Amino acid sequence: MKARHLLCLGVTTFVLAVTSSMRAADGDAEWQKVNEIVEGVKNPKEKPKTREEAIGMLKKGITEFDAAYAAALKAGPSNAARWDAALFEAMTGRVREVAGIPAPAKPAISLDDIVKAADAKAETKSQASLVSVMESAEAAEAPGGDLAAWTAKAEKHLKDFPDEKMNQMVEGKLKSIKASADLKTKPLELKFTAVDGREVDVSKLQGKVVLVDFWATWCGPCVAELPNVIKAYKELHAKGFEIVGISLDQDKAELEGFVKEKGMEWPQYFDGKGWQNEIASKYGIQSIPAMWLLNKKGMVVSTDARGHLEEAVTKLLAE
C-alpha cells in the first residue's frame, strides 16, 4: 500500500510539474500582464481630471497593451487568453484615433477568428460577433455597399447570439437601414403636435426645403452645431427653409427654457422618452445630432447635413 501510495504521489508530482511547465511555456505570465493592462485602461485607479490627462492615460495604456500583446502572442500563441486580448484590440479603434496611435495594418487575430474559436469564452465570441456586425455596417451603407449581405450577417448574429446584452444596437441598425431604404421611395410622412401646441405636418411643407433635426439639450455636439443651425434658419427661412426639431430630452421644462433662451423659433417634437423617443425609434436613430434634409418634394436627400447645412440648403432651394 505504501509503495502504491508513493507511486501515485510520484505520478501526481510529475503531472503537476509537466502542467506547470506547459503553462509557463504557453506564456501565462505574459498574458496575465496583458490582462492587467487591459483592466488598467478600462478601470484606471485614478480618474483623469482633464481631457488632456485622459488622452495621455489612454495613449500610455494602449501603447503598453500593444507591446505586451505582441510579447504574449510570441510566448504563448495558443493560450486561450489571446481571444479576449484580440477583442480588446478590435474595440480600441476610436480610442486610437483620439490618442493618435495607429491601429495595426492587419490584426494578428481577426474578429471572425474569435467567433469561430473553440476555446474562446461564449461571451467573448458574442461580443466579437457584435463588433464585427456593427463595424461592417458603415461599409454596407456606403455607395456601392452590399446591404443585403450585411442584413443577412446581422440576422445571423441575432440568431447565433440571442442573449448578447448589446443586441439592441444591431436591431436598431437593422431598423435604421430598412427605414432609410423606405425613405428613398416616398416623401417623408411626419405629423405631430409640437411642445408649444403647433400642429406639424411635414407633407404640407412640400415646396420648401426642410431640416428634420434629431437632437437634445444634453447632447454636446448638438449644442455645438446649434449656432450654425440658427444662422442658416435666420438667413434662409424667408427663402423657403423650415426646421422641425425632434427632441430626445426627458425634461420638458428644461427643453422649453433652452429653446426660448437660444431663440429657436421652429417647432419641437417632445415625448419625454429620451432614447426611446417614438419618432427617433421609428427611424432607428442611434446617435445625435442626426440632421435630415428634405427637398421641395418632401424626399429625404441627406441624413448627414451637419457641418455644411447652409451650403446644402442653398443648393436645394435653387432646385
Side-chain angles (χ1 to χ4, degrees):
M1 292 291 292
K2 184 175 181 181
R4 183 178 297 177
H5 174 73
L6 289 174
L7 177 60
C8 290
L9 179 62
V11 170
T12 301
T13 302
F14 174 76
V15 170
L16 288 173
V18 170
T19 302
S20 176
S21 175
M22 287 175 64
R23 285 178 177 172
D26 203 24
D28 272 0
E30 287 80 2
W31 286 112
Q32 178 59 33
K33 183 177 180 180
V34 172
N35 182 63
E36 290 172 357
I37 292 172
V38 169
E39 287 302 312
V41 173
K42 291 181 177 179
N43 303 295
K45 293 180 180 179
E46 295 184 11
K47 302 298 181 183
K49 298 179 178 62
T50 64
R51 183 175 186 275
E52 290 71 22
E53 187 176 339
I55 292 175
M57 291 173 64
L58 286 173
K59 188 171 185 177
K60 180 176 182 294
I62 298 300
T63 300
E64 290 178 349
F65 167 80
D66 286 346
Y69 181 39
L73 279 172
K74 185 176 181 180
S78 61
N79 194 304
R82 69 192 186 279
W83 305 120
D84 291 305
L87 175 61
F88 176 78
E89 181 187 59
M91 296 174 71
T92 60
R94 295 294 171 84
V95 174
R96 288 176 182 274
E97 290 179 16
V98 173
I101 303 173
K106 182 180 180 181
I109 299 173
S110 71
L111 290 167
D112 286 342
D113 291 335
I114 300 172
V115 174
K116 296 173 184 177
D119 57 340
K121 291 180 290 188
E123 181 181 3
T124 304
K125 296 171 73 168
S126 176
Q127 291 178 2
S129 177
L130 175 84
V131 174
S132 178
V133 168
M134 296 308 296
E135 282 189 350
S136 59
E138 185 175 350
E141 290 183 287
D146 192 339
L147 283 174
W150 182 86
T151 299
K153 179 177 181 177
E155 291 174 344
K156 184 177 187 302
H157 162 81
L158 293 173
K159 180 180 178 180
D160 292 346
F161 302 102
D163 298 325
E164 168 56 45
K165 297 176 182 178
M166 300 300 290
N167 271 349
Q168 67 268 21
M169 295 176 64
V170 178
E171 293 164 350
K173 179 56 71 173
L174 279 168
K175 184 186 292 185
S176 174
I177 286 176
K178 183 180 183 302
S180 295
D182 291 342
L183 290 173
K184 295 176 181 178
T185 64
K186 58 184 179 181
L188 179 68
E189 295 179 4
L190 183 59
K191 182 188 294 188
F192 61 87
T193 300
V195 71
D196 61 4
R198 278 182 282 180
E199 296 298 326
V200 177
D201 185 349
V202 170
S203 67
K204 294 181 179 179
L205 296 177
Q206 289 188 26
K208 298 185 177 183
V209 174
V210 180
L211 169 68
V212 180
D213 187 14
F214 297 86
W215 74 293
T217 60
W218 46 258
C219 166
C222 301
V223 176
E225 185 67 19
L226 186 55
N228 297 326
V229 177
I230 293 175
K231 180 175 180 291
Y233 184 79
K234 287 183 177 179
E235 295 186 4
L236 301 172
H237 176 59
K239 298 179 181 180
F241 176 46
E242 299 286 352
I243 302 179
V244 173
I246 309 296
S247 169
L248 274 66
D249 282 281
Q250 293 178 292
D251 188 320
K252 184 178 180 181
E254 186 172 346
L255 170 64
E256 290 176 321
F258 185 93
V259 167
K260 183 178 180 180
E261 177 189 347
K262 299 296 182 181
M264 300 165 68
E265 300 175 12
W266 51 91
Q268 300 286 341
Y269 173 81
F270 171 84
D271 60 17
K273 297 180 180 180
W275 280 111
Q276 280 67 54
N277 177 290
E278 291 188 7
I279 294 177
S281 296
K282 176 181 178 180
Y283 292 108
I285 300 297
Q286 293 184 306
S287 63
I288 53 175
M291 301 172 66
W292 293 6
L293 272 180
L294 281 58
N295 64 14
K296 293 179 181 180
K297 296 180 180 179
M299 301 291 293
V300 176
V301 292
S302 172
T303 56
D304 185 20
R306 183 182 176 193
H308 55 92
L309 177 62
E310 191 170 344
E311 177 185 353
V313 172
T314 300
K315 184 177 179 179
L316 289 172
L317 286 170
E319 292 182 352

